[in-house]
């Protein structure tokens, strides 16, 4: 099937979309990105993702005028052309092509890439829950920036896969920060839901923010505070969140069963609340009408 990608103001065949070997995104991972979920043709939390992209650009000092309306148009066009029903939109902005020197070039023209992918939802992992392992957090101290400098995340995820686990939860200074590509949550016996505070040690997930809002609205007790491995292993329930996974139950941490090795009732309720929220997100059609 034909797959169209947007690269620097052009819509082209994905297989023909190329960047220069001199692109700083390629040479230095001097770039930021976003990944936005598309569920039933609905673009989930688009505004929040574009806002975070703006924040990332500012934090890495890439000069870039991000026009939200133009982005909406490009994204809608790609979803339509590529017939995305369930999938995701990937956006990457680099500092562009320049001679390989660490310092910023005096003048540069950023590279913009936007592509889409179809995603098949694996229902089994939601019904059964997943196993995670815990390993040291070997990343830098600006994990709040959504940069493509992801080698520590890649190595951490690979370790999980090699241990037949789904994800790695990363431990820094005795506390679990987050997963290699997701945010980490535990539900304590007092029914308090705990997740790491959004500081430089984690990525402030868009899904995380939405879940916090939904849970607060529904009377849950949320604590944004660090938790350690002992607290995690003694948790009543645990789960992880990300744009591609939504809310996924965690039923084993290292070799400890959580909630008897099955998704717990509170997690199931949170999944339902989030699915409800998703179904109320704007459809592609309503966004198109807004633009027209
Ligand atoms: N990852 N923490 C990390 C390190 C992440 O890479 C991600 C998302 C999250 C969750 O953020 P959000 O809810 O905004 O998706 C937390 C994406 C999905 C990825 O890189 O594939």
């Amino acid at each position: 099937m034909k797959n169209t990608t947007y690269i620097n103001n052009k819509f082209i065949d994905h297989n023909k979309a190329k960047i220069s070997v001199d692109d700083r995104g390629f040479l230095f991972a001097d770039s930021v990105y976003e990944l936005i979920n598309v569920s039933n043709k609905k673009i989930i939390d688009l505004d929040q993702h574009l806002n975070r992209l703006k924040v990332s650009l500012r934090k890495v000092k890439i000069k870039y005028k991000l026009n939200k309306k133009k982005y909406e148009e490009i994204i809608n066009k790609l979803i339509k052309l590529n017939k995305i029903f369930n999938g995701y939109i990937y956006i990457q902005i680099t500092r562009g092509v320049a001679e390989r020197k660490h310092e910023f070039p005096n003048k540069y023209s950023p590279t913009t890439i936007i592509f889409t992918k179809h995603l098949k939802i694996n229902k089994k992992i939601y019904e059964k829950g997943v196993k995670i392992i815990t390993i040291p957090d070997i990343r830098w101290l600006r994990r709040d920036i959504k940069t493509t400098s992801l080698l520590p995340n890649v190595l951490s995820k690979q370790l999980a896969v090699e241990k037949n686990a789904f994800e790695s939860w990363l431990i820094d200074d005795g506390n679990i920060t987050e997963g290699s590509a997701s945010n980490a949550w535990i539900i304590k016996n007092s029914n308090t839901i705990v997740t790491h505070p959004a500081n430089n040690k984690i990525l402030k997930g868009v899904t995380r923010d939405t879940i916090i809002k939904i849970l607060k609205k529904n009377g849950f007790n949320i604590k944004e505070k660090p938790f350690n491995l002992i607290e995690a292993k003694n948790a009543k329930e645990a789960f992880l969140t990300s744009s591609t996974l939504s809310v996924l139950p965690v039923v084993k941490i290292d070799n400890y069963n959580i909630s008897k090795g099955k998704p717990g009732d509170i997690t199931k309720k949170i999944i339902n609340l989030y699915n409800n929220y998703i179904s109320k997100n704007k459809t592609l059609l309503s966004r198109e009408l807004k633009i027209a």
Side-chain angles (χ1 to χ4, degrees):
M1 218 206 306
K2 211 177 149 242
N3 186 10
T4 302
T5 279
Y6 174 91
I7 179 163
N8 295 333
N9 289 316
K10 286 192 188 111
F11 289 88
I12 60 171
D13 182 344
H14 186 75
N15 296 324
K16 293 193 177 127
K18 301 273 186 287
I19 61 152
S20 162
V21 290
D22 290 326
D23 195 287
R24 289 178 63 94
F26 174 67
L27 294 175
F28 295 117
D30 188 359
S31 77
V32 294
Y33 79 109
E34 274 302 322
L35 196 142
I36 307 160
N37 186 22
V38 181
S39 170
N40 260 329
K41 285 199 205 165
K42 292 169 202 286
I43 306 165
I44 310 305
D45 290 342
L46 179 61
D47 284 351
Q48 292 89 322
H49 282 282
L50 293 183
N51 285 340
R52 186 172 63 186
L53 185 56
K54 279 188 178 179
V55 170
S56 299
L57 286 163
R58 183 169 43 75
K59 285 179 175 174
V60 301
K61 302 177 182 167
I62 292 180
K63 284 192 195 123
Y64 191 91
K65 279 210 175 77
L66 196 155
N67 180 331
K68 273 196 186 176
K69 201 168 163 199
K70 186 178 166 198
Y71 262 72
E72 283 196 2
E73 280 168 4
I74 297 165
I75 287 167
N76 276 334
K77 187 166 169 179
L78 286 177
I79 288 179
K80 230 166 134 187
L81 285 172
N82 298 334
K83 299 186 173 60
I84 305 294
F85 197 80
N86 289 311
Y88 64 82
I89 302 146
Y90 177 87
I91 306 170
Q92 184 174 342
I93 300 167
T94 83
R95 208 180 304 270
V97 174
E99 188 185 337
R100 190 189 175 281
K101 284 184 180 168
H102 285 65
E103 66 270 32
F104 302 166
N106 286 335
K107 270 192 182 164
Y108 57 88
S109 157
T111 302
T112 307
I113 297 160
I114 309 177
F115 64 75
T116 63
K117 288 278 172 204
H118 295 276
L119 262 191
K120 272 206 184 101
I121 297 159
N122 177 358
K123 280 192 185 147
K124 257 193 196 159
I125 56 172
Y126 295 89
E127 285 158 15
K128 288 191 166 179
V130 295
K131 176 188 167 180
I132 58 112
I133 57 164
T134 57
I135 56 170
D137 196 335
I138 57 168
R139 299 173 300 161
W140 70 332
L141 289 173
R142 293 306 307 275
R143 304 161 194 158
D144 51 311
I145 308 174
K146 198 159 173 67
T147 147
T148 58
S149 178
L150 288 171
L151 193 53
N153 305 61
V154 167
L155 294 174
S156 304
K157 182 77 171 193
Q158 181 59 23
L159 274 181
V161 171
E162 285 168 11
K163 292 250 157 74
N164 286 322
F166 186 85
E167 175 64 300
S168 292
W169 278 8
L170 310 173
I171 301 187
D172 179 0
D173 209 8
N175 291 316
I176 291 167
T177 51
E178 59 180 336
S180 73
S182 55
N183 288 117
W185 307 68
I186 57 166
I187 304 172
K188 292 199 151 193
N189 278 322
S190 54
N191 278 355
T192 301
I193 302 177
V194 189
T195 195
H196 196 283
N199 54 22
N200 66 307
K201 293 198 171 187
I202 68 158
L203 180 77
K204 191 172 185 279
V206 167
T207 322
R208 176 189 178 282
D209 280 0
T210 298
I211 292 286
I212 289 174
K213 263 188 224 142
I214 295 172
L215 293 184
K216 281 187 177 163
K217 218 169 133 188
N218 282 276
F220 285 89
N221 185 16
I222 308 289
K223 282 222 159 74
E224 291 181 67
K225 72 174 194 53
F227 58 92
N228 61 31
L229 186 54
I230 296 168
E231 287 173 285
K233 286 181 177 171
N234 286 326
K236 191 171 171 183
E237 297 180 28
F239 62 94
L240 56 86
T241 58
S242 81
S243 296
T244 41
L245 296 165
S246 300
V247 180
L248 183 60
V250 168
V251 295
K252 206 170 195 179
I253 299 177
D254 297 330
N255 284 323
Y256 289 77
N257 275 343
I258 307 295
S259 86
K260 301 199 180 91
K262 285 185 188 147
D265 289 340
I266 303 174
T267 306
K268 284 187 199 161
K269 191 171 174 192
I270 297 170
I271 292 174
N272 282 337
L273 287 170
Y274 187 69
N275 286 344
N276 258 341
Y277 168 82
I278 278 192
S279 65
K280 284 184 198 133
N281 259 253
K282 290 197 180 98
T283 61
L284 173 63
L285 192 65
S286 68
R287 285 199 170 271
E288 272 176 352
L289 289 175
K290 208 175 101 190
I291 285 162

